[in-house]
Amino acid sequence: MTSSEIRKAFLNYFAQRDHRIVSSSSLVPKDDPTLLFTNAGMVQFKRVFLGEETREYRRATTSQKCVRAGGKHNDLEIVGKTARHHTFFEMLGNFSFGDYFKEGAIEMAWDLLIHEWGLPAEKMWITIYLDDDEAFTLWRKIGVPSERIVRMGEKDNFWAMGDTGPCGPCSEIVIDQGEGMGCGRPDCSVGCDCDRFLELWNLVFMQFNRTQEGKLIPLAKPSIDTGMGLERISAILQGVKSNFETDLFRPIIQEVESICRHSYGEDPKTDISIRVIADHSRAATFLISDGVLPSNEGRGYVLRRIMRRAMRHGRMLGIDRPFLFQTSSRVVGLMKEAFPELRESEEFISKVIRNEEERFSETLDTGLKILKEELERLKRGGEKILPGEVAFRLYDTFGFPLDLTTEILQEEGIAFDEVGFRAQMEEQRQKSKLAWQGIGEGRTKEVYRRVLREGVRSSFVGYEELQCDSKIIRIIKGDEWVSEAKEGEEIEIVSERTPFYGESGGQVGDRGVIFHEDFSIEVEDTLKPFEELIIHHGRVKRGRVREGVEATFRVDADRRRDITLNHTGTHLLQAVLREILGNHVHQAGSLVSPERLRFDFTHFAPISPKDLDRIEEMVNQKIRENLRVETKIMTIEDALQTGAMALFGEKYGEKVRVVMVSDFSIELCGGTHASRTGDIGLFKIVAESGVAAGVRRIEALTGKGAYRWLKELERELREMAYLLKSTPEELSERLERLLERQKSLEREIESLRAKSFHQEVLQLLSQTREVKGVKVLSTKVDGKDLRTLREFIDQLKVKLGSGIILLGSMAEEKVTLLMGVTPDLTHRFKANELIRKIALYVGGTGGGRADFAQAGGTKSERLEEALQAIDHLIE
């Protein structure tokens, strides 16, 4: 079976058993600050398991893209050196949300592996949790002998979502690959780190909730979460000894072979580099496809490390040009059927990788130079250990894998401070963690979670109406749920229905009022911490608010209208950008407020003024066409088939809202919009800038905001015209004449300055005297800056032909001394040596070259004495 057939067979097997096939979620977990990347199939269902979210189905199956790179899950340096470690992999899984439990999970897993795929039952071993007698009985029931069921401890066979929350025992299906794949030790058995007993499929039985006190309370609806690596099962079913020999990797390895002129299998050392490149090409391709871009922090930092490690291994194979973009292209070709998002972003992925490769080539050369200088320094000092800080700087700043640094050091007979390196690495990990923590769930208060777990939900009716009556079902004060609040208190309100839009998708939250005959609340912001929960944040302006009371919720209509115009303007802008700049343009972030819009997008160069004008003109053309703006609710599959644009890495549900601006722009969007483009009135770009590598930003105004901006510009033009005694229409010509007049005056001033300078040089020359046959000029020159004094020295040297010049100047009781010696005398009198001695008179020090030197001091009263000292020194 090909890996594609295995993936399809797995999903179809469970689909035939009433499981919903759910698309893989993004590698960027929007709702979990504890994770850098999605690293397991259950991540997208975490809220379902926690009871914070409900789905239309109780059974699901997925092939989830996962990344484990860095941190506790995977040491990047291991990848390529083993047969099974990967940064990117696919996790096949089936899930039950309070439906079937242990018996169903065990029966289906065994049936698929043994009866559908024909794996030998006699080679299968099972691990269970120490006291899970129920699982033991069920495995025995389907025919697994007792001696092949191994009980293991909490570390291996008890799974937990965190310190608290859902958890439970797990059971792993293990295959014995035979002694030939083992370590050869007589005690080799299940649990050994070698490849003989290979873990294939982990079945997690979520049956408890762990409290903060550590108590395990049985869940009312136990659930199932399973995971099996596609790479591992492919290796087993394809009869190969390494994941890298499967059809998931062979085509990429062949691409590497054609680029580097090495054959896989010819040398263990080059094999490691080829495996690294094959693995890292997959990770980089999928991460960029999900919107992660190389950077120096958080997820982008990990991506950069992955890419640069692959590039360095390319150098080790003798590849001295960009190549990773080619292997990435092969990844897209292999995987685009299973993951269609790769097809759409192929051009962009290639550009990001090539851009990073070109940058790395420069930093790599710089890093090698730094390492060479450090080695020379160590050798001069007779030292034998490279400081950990230096090794880490090479690793962190210049992308050097640690094995590269150690390899070069070994060749030179030098060790390095590994303890210091690891300490720096841990510090960087903590900084990196802080950089990405706080996204999504990190900003979500625990009280919101409690409200959600209690089954409280909000219904948004704000697409159709801006005012409605609804019951107040929760009042939150700080982090606590309260039953009432009084005048002056800052509170948060949850209601059954609301017309208030909660901040999401870049659109800011609504403002307005909630009122009743007994109270009124000014709503200052509206949040949407969860898909089904809307929080009104505000202050009680009058009376006392009580839970359970029905009140009127009214949105600030003028503010909402301004927001909708900017949001529809953003959709028009993205469509125009793709038309003018290319299909590589994707949204990388946005802000839609009543005052303005900000749109971040993927693009690799500043936009020329000419293209900015074209973009602005085309958006305004679409506004003038007064296109109809419609919204439809459809399945995610149907939406994507219509050509709807999805946000990079965004998590979408089964049903999505599609916003269509005629047939010009079709996007998945939950925001509020104008009914026709003509409502926008005017679109004006006010700024374009770069915000990150490969990401540009456009800021613009629409409607009355654009009108106000133009009126302010007009006012300023009129004011300037008044000051210049002109009209706005004649300003350009008037300014041109003024600038020409200014240049003429500057030339005149420069001419006068040159004449004055010449006169001053002649005056100084008149003070020249002769000491022991040497022409000497030493004098005080006040009121001149350092640059002018240097020019005096240069001119006086030319005029004298041969001689020594010493000039002294005084400002704010600080002394400056400058000395020049003509070339014919520098073998006898060196300016830097003379100035140091003279500087002692004014309580300072100095230095420079043999022909020119400078000094400074604080004893201004001894300046004359210092100027006379030159005669004595020459004598």
Side-chain angles (χ1 to χ4, degrees), residues 521-716:
I521 303 164
E522 183 179 339
V523 179
E524 298 162 355
D525 195 10
T526 310
L527 311 173
K528 190 180 178 183
F530 300 106
E531 190 59 36
E532 298 170 299
L533 190 66
I534 295 173
I535 307 289
H536 308 80
H537 181 97
R539 190 176 296 276
V540 183
K541 303 299 285 185
R542 171 180 62 82
R544 187 178 291 269
V545 186
R546 290 183 175 83
E547 190 181 286
V549 172
E550 187 157 298
T552 301
F553 290 67
R554 181 189 294 162
V555 172
D556 181 332
D558 288 341
R559 184 174 181 274
R560 164 74 82 82
R561 178 177 168 78
D562 291 341
I563 292 169
T564 61
L565 300 185
N566 278 330
H567 205 151
T568 306
T570 303
H571 283 223
L572 290 177
L573 174 61
Q574 177 166 215
V576 169
L577 287 170
R578 287 173 64 82
E579 191 159 317
I580 290 177
L581 302 180
N583 288 335
H584 64 277
V585 168
H586 285 273
Q587 181 175 333
S590 72
L591 170 71
V592 180
S593 73
E595 295 80 24
R596 64 191 175 107
L597 66 92
R598 186 182 73 211
F599 186 70
D600 296 347
F601 57 97
T602 50
H603 189 59
F604 286 90
I607 303 173
S608 68
K610 182 180 176 182
D611 278 342
L612 275 177
D613 286 345
R614 285 177 63 205
I615 291 162
E616 187 176 275
E617 170 54 35
M618 189 177 287
V619 173
N620 280 297
Q621 179 186 321
K622 296 300 174 185
I623 290 170
R624 291 193 298 273
E625 288 175 15
N626 200 24
L627 303 173
R628 185 179 178 84
V629 183
E630 297 178 278
T631 57
K632 288 183 180 177
I633 305 297
M634 55 181 77
T635 65
I636 182 69
E637 290 80 9
D638 289 345
L640 295 175
Q641 282 177 7
T642 65
M645 284 281 295
L647 188 61
F648 255 3
E650 187 60 60
K651 175 183 168 186
Y652 294 103
E654 291 297 300
K655 294 288 180 69
V656 292
R657 187 166 180 266
V658 181
V659 176
M660 295 173 285
V661 182
S662 185
D663 59 354
F664 180 66
S665 164
I666 307 174
E667 288 190 46
L668 305 185
C669 180
T672 61
H673 287 273
S675 57
R676 284 190 171 274
T677 59
D679 297 345
I680 297 170
L682 178 65
F683 175 90
K684 184 77 190 92
I685 294 173
V686 293
E688 189 274 340
S689 60
V691 291
V695 179
R696 306 297 299 177
R697 169 175 292 171
I698 281 179
E699 295 178 67
L701 307 169
T702 67
K704 63 187 181 189
Y707 175 75
R708 281 197 298 263
W709 187 87
L710 288 172
K711 289 301 290 181
E712 179 61 21
L713 186 64
E714 182 183 35
R715 186 194 64 75
E716 287 185 14

